[in-house]
């Protein structure tokens, strides 16, 4: 239970740190009594939060010193494992398609998470006091205490903002005056971003589209209707766009689109770039270019727009493209079969420096470029 009766909004600083893990964004939380600081990845594409725990025994990773101490549940006077027959345990098992996960002699619920990247975390489902950046605390915060973790980063773990009741966002938002969250991930890691849970600053410059709960994943989605390169529509049947929604996934770097859309986008961008003297890269599944003059001019690159319901997401050149290596510039768009086949995802590279608003009460998604 929240110690204060109501939280108008709770704000945290967001940072990018490639030494922790490239193309991820982090915020600080504290768990336990006394509180232990942990730097965790912000992930709108997953639900259950987890941190690596001190009693990790199977597969563990080296946690960076500035990510905080590894959480030791035995040192927290407020930590407890969640029982096997509890609603939280049964609901989590059903959502994650875990057929059975329980240590009966300890009456301890187990969790098992696997990500599209192949990474995973397995451990005990527990609850403890969560302290936010504002120093407000939530008792009985549900999270995973990871004891078997295949993870490529060196930060403390992941916090999920997905749609289920036990997500970080939904546990915190129960005590806010308005059910929403917003964030801005900085393009330059020297800058700081921000994340707010609860009421957000209303901005007339925000563009809005419909926010949708994705069918079989605990994630938020938007509906793409069309796509343009330099203002010209792609040569593709518009029906293909509406066959799948697009998940907004802060934990994924690139943007994945259906293969027919990718092929049409590739054709349109390549036509524009070859006309300006750029050579197309050899990899058919990545849209990359090399300047024949030896250096790339960002002004040469075309604009890319994604038409949505009620609005259009216009990507600045530095969001639609990035420097993969010296003088090699690539598009942030990849075909769906390079990720999870049949799943479209709007990754963080395309919308860095954008203010994004997930207004759950009105089921609207807002965006504004150049906000951080």
């Amino acid at each position: 239970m929240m110690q204060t009766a109501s939280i108008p909004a709770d704000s945290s600083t967001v940072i990018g740190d490639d030494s922790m893990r490239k193309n991820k964004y982090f915020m600080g939380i504290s768990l336990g009594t006394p509180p232990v600081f942990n730097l965790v990845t912000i992930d709108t594409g997953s639900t259950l939060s987890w941190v690596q725990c001190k009693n990790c025994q199977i597969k563990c990773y080296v946690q960076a010193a500035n990510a905080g101490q590894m959480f030791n549940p035995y040192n927290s006077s407020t930590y407890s494992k969640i029982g096997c027959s509890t609603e939280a345990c049964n609901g989590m098992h059903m959502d994650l398609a875990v057929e059975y996960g329980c240590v009966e002699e300890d009456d301890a619920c187990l969790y098992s998470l696997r990500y599209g990247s192949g990474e995973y975390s397995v451990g005990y489902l527990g609850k403890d006091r969560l302290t936010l950046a504002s120093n407000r605390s939530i008792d009985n915060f549900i999270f995973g205490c990871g004891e078997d973790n295949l993870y490529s980063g060196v930060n403390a773990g992941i916090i999920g903002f997905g749609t289920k009741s036990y997500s970080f966002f939904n546990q915190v938002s129960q005590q806010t005056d308005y059910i929403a969250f917003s964030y801005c991930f900085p393009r330059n890691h020297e800058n700081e971003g921000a994340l707010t849970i609860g009421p957000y600053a209303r901005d007339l410059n925000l563009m809005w589209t419909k926010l949708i709960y994705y069918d079989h994943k605990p994630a938020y989605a938007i509906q793409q209707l069309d796509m343009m390169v330099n203002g010209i529509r792609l040569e593709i049947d518009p029906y293909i766009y509406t066959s799948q929604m697009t998940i907004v996934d802060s934990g994924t770097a690139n943007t994945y689109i259906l293969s027919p859309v990718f092929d049409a986008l590739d054709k349109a961008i390549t036509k524009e770039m070859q006309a300006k003297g750029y050579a197309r890269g050899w990899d058919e599944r990545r849209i990359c270019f090399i300047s024949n003059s030896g250096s790339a001019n960002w002004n040469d690159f075309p604009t890319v727009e994604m038409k949505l319901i009620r609005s259009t997401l216009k990507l600045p050149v530095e969001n639609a493209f990035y420097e993969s290596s010296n003088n090699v510039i690539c598009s942030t768009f990849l075909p769906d079969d390079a990720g999870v086949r049949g799943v479209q995802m709007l990754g963080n590279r395309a919308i860095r420096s954008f203010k994004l608003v997930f207004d759950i009460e009105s089921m609207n998604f807002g965006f504004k470029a150049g906000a951080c």
Side-chain angles (χ1 to χ4, degrees):
M1 181 177 178
M2 188 71 68
Q3 291 181 343
T4 52
S6 178
I7 301 178
D10 194 278
S11 298
S12 299
T13 299
V14 173
I15 65 168
D17 186 343
D18 285 348
S19 69
M20 293 281 181
R21 188 170 184 181
K22 287 187 176 182
N23 300 315
K24 303 291 183 181
Y25 288 85
F26 311 99
M27 64 177 286
I29 62 170
S30 293
L31 289 168
T33 307
V36 175
F37 173 81
N38 275 181
L39 198 65
V40 288
T41 300
I42 301 165
D43 188 12
T44 61
S46 67
T47 293
L48 182 64
S49 303
W50 64 271
V51 296
Q52 181 168 232
C53 285
K54 189 71 174 180
N55 54 343
C56 178
Q57 298 175 355
I58 302 174
K59 190 173 185 64
C60 316
Y61 61 91
V62 177
Q63 192 165 307
N66 55 344
Q69 296 180 11
M70 198 178 297
F71 180 69
N72 187 341
Y74 298 106
N75 288 346
S76 174
S77 63
T78 47
Y79 176 83
S80 62
K81 292 178 180 177
I82 289 178
C84 299
S85 60
T86 61
E87 182 179 344
C89 182
N90 292 331
M92 183 272 298
H93 283 172
M94 185 177 298
D95 292 337
L96 299 179
V98 177
E99 292 186 8
Y100 183 78
C102 184
V103 180
E104 292 185 351
E105 55 267 33
D106 296 331
D107 188 28
C109 182
L110 299 175
Y111 77 92
S112 176
L113 276 174
R114 185 170 293 274
Y115 299 91
S117 61
E119 296 172 314
Y120 64 80
S121 177
V122 179
Y124 288 98
L125 196 65
K127 56 184 178 181
D128 205 341
R129 177 171 293 164
L130 168 72
T131 303
L132 304 171
S134 61
N135 289 324
R136 295 188 176 100
S137 297
I138 300 174
D139 290 337
N140 298 319
F141 172 72
I142 297 171
F143 67 101
C145 200
E147 295 194 5
D148 179 9
N149 310 301
L150 178 62
Y151 186 62
S152 299
V154 294
N155 60 295
I158 295 176
I159 52 169
F161 276 70
T163 61
K164 299 298 182 180
S165 62
Y166 50 83
S167 75
F168 171 86
F169 163 65
N170 277 317
Q171 290 186 73
V172 174
S173 68
Q174 289 177 11
Q175 307 297 328
T176 63
D177 293 334
Y178 193 83
I179 304 175
F181 67 94
S182 63
Y183 61 79
C184 185
F185 289 173
R187 184 182 299 114
N188 184 340
H189 284 355
E190 294 179 0
N191 297 334
E192 290 183 346
L195 182 146
T196 298
I197 296 176
Y200 56 91
R202 305 288 167 159
D203 190 333
L204 294 177
N205 293 319
L206 279 167
M207 304 291 288
W208 294 97
T209 189
K210 184 179 179 182
L211 187 65
I212 307 164
Y213 286 151
Y214 197 78
D215 287 341
H216 56 282
K217 292 183 180 292
Y220 309 99
I222 55 178
Q223 183 64 68
Q224 184 177 350
L225 302 177
D226 209 341
M227 201 165 192
M228 290 78 73
V229 172
N230 276 348
I232 301 174
R233 295 177 58 199
L234 299 185
E235 297 177 1
I236 189 171
D237 184 349
Y239 171 77
I240 294 176
Y241 295 110
T242 59
S243 65
Q244 291 288 340
M245 294 177 287
T246 299
I247 294 173
V248 184
D249 189 353
S250 66
T252 297
N254 290 308
T255 293
Y256 294 86
I257 53 180
L258 296 179
S259 292
V261 181
F262 174 84
D263 293 340
L265 179 68
D266 186 1
K267 180 180 178 181
I269 292 177
T270 299
K271 178 181 178 182
E272 296 287 336
M273 296 304 296
Q274 288 180 339
K276 295 185 178 181
Y278 288 79
R280 172 71 163 77
W282 60 269
D283 189 344
E284 292 183 356
R285 309 313 281 164
R286 296 179 68 206
I287 309 173
C288 297
F289 301 95
I290 304 168
S291 173
N292 291 328
S293 65
S295 61
N297 183 348
W298 286 90
N299 292 325
D300 290 338
F301 287 79
T303 60
V304 178
E305 300 173 60
M306 302 173 71
K307 185 178 179 182
L308 311 171
I309 298 172
R310 302 197 305 263
S311 62
T312 298
L313 176 59
K314 300 179 180 180
L315 300 182
V317 170
E318 57 268 32
N319 287 80
F321 299 90
Y322 67 99
E323 188 170 10
S324 175
S325 58
N326 190 32
N327 289 328
V328 178
I329 308 297
C330 296
S331 165
T332 188
F333 292 93
L334 293 174
D336 62 319
D337 55 19
V340 180
R341 187 179 296 273
V343 177
Q344 297 194 124
M345 289 183 283
L346 180 63
N348 66 52
R349 183 177 272 137
I351 43 183
R352 291 175 189 174
S353 82
F354 277 74
K355 177 181 180 178
L356 302 182
V357 176
F358 296 72
D359 190 325
I360 309 304
E361 286 209 15
S362 67
M363 289 304 291
N364 283 316
F365 176 74
F367 54 92
K368 172 190 171 183
C372 66

